[in-house]
């Protein structure tokens, strides 16, 4: 299940994976066998070959992600590694 206390970083994407909610939803769904038991809000960064998209994901109790559940909150024209993110 997606966890509201976590920030997910999905790397190794192909061209375009970070650029649209449809492509991001497919990449999120393929990353893990997501199951869900209730509505959860979390954040996901998708890294493709030349950019990084950060999405707010409001999971509506479906397995995997749907494009309608994602909102782009940030787009960076660079491939970011996990060391680029710091949380406290």
């Amino acid at each position: 299940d997606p966890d509201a206390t976590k920030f997910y970083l999905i790397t190794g994407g192909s061209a375009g994976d970070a650029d649209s909610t449809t492509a991001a939803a497919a990449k999120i769904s393929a990353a893990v066998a997501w199951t869900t038991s209730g509505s959860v809000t979390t954040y996901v960064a998708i890294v493709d070959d030349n950019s990084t998209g950060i999405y707010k994901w409001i999971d509506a109790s479906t397995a995997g992600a749907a494009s309608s559940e994602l909102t782009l909150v940030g787009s960076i024209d660079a491939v970011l590694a996990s060391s680029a993110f710091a949380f406290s």
Side-chain angles (χ1 to χ4, degrees), residues 50-77:
N50 66 357
S51 64
T52 302
I54 301 173
Y55 292 87
K56 179 180 182 180
W57 178 15
I58 301 175
D59 184 45
S61 298
T62 59
S67 62
S68 61
E69 300 172 333
L70 299 176
T71 301
L72 180 66
V73 295
S75 181
I76 300 125
D77 289 333

Side-chain angles (χ1 to χ4, degrees), residues 2-81:
D3 186 332
T5 65
K6 295 183 180 175
F7 177 87
Y8 295 94
L9 176 63
I10 301 173
T11 60
S14 299
D17 283 347
D19 303 334
S20 73
T21 57
T22 301
K27 188 68 178 172
I28 292 167
S29 295
V32 176
W34 302 98
T35 59
T36 159
S37 56
S39 182
V40 173
T41 300
T42 192
Y43 291 85
V44 181
I46 306 290
V47 182
D48 66 18
D49 67 323
N50 66 357
S51 64
T52 302
I54 301 173
Y55 292 87
K56 179 180 182 180
W57 178 15
I58 301 175
D59 184 45
S61 298
T62 59
S67 62
S68 61
E69 300 172 333
L70 299 176
T71 301
L72 180 66
V73 295
S75 181
I76 300 125
D77 289 333
V79 175
L80 298 184

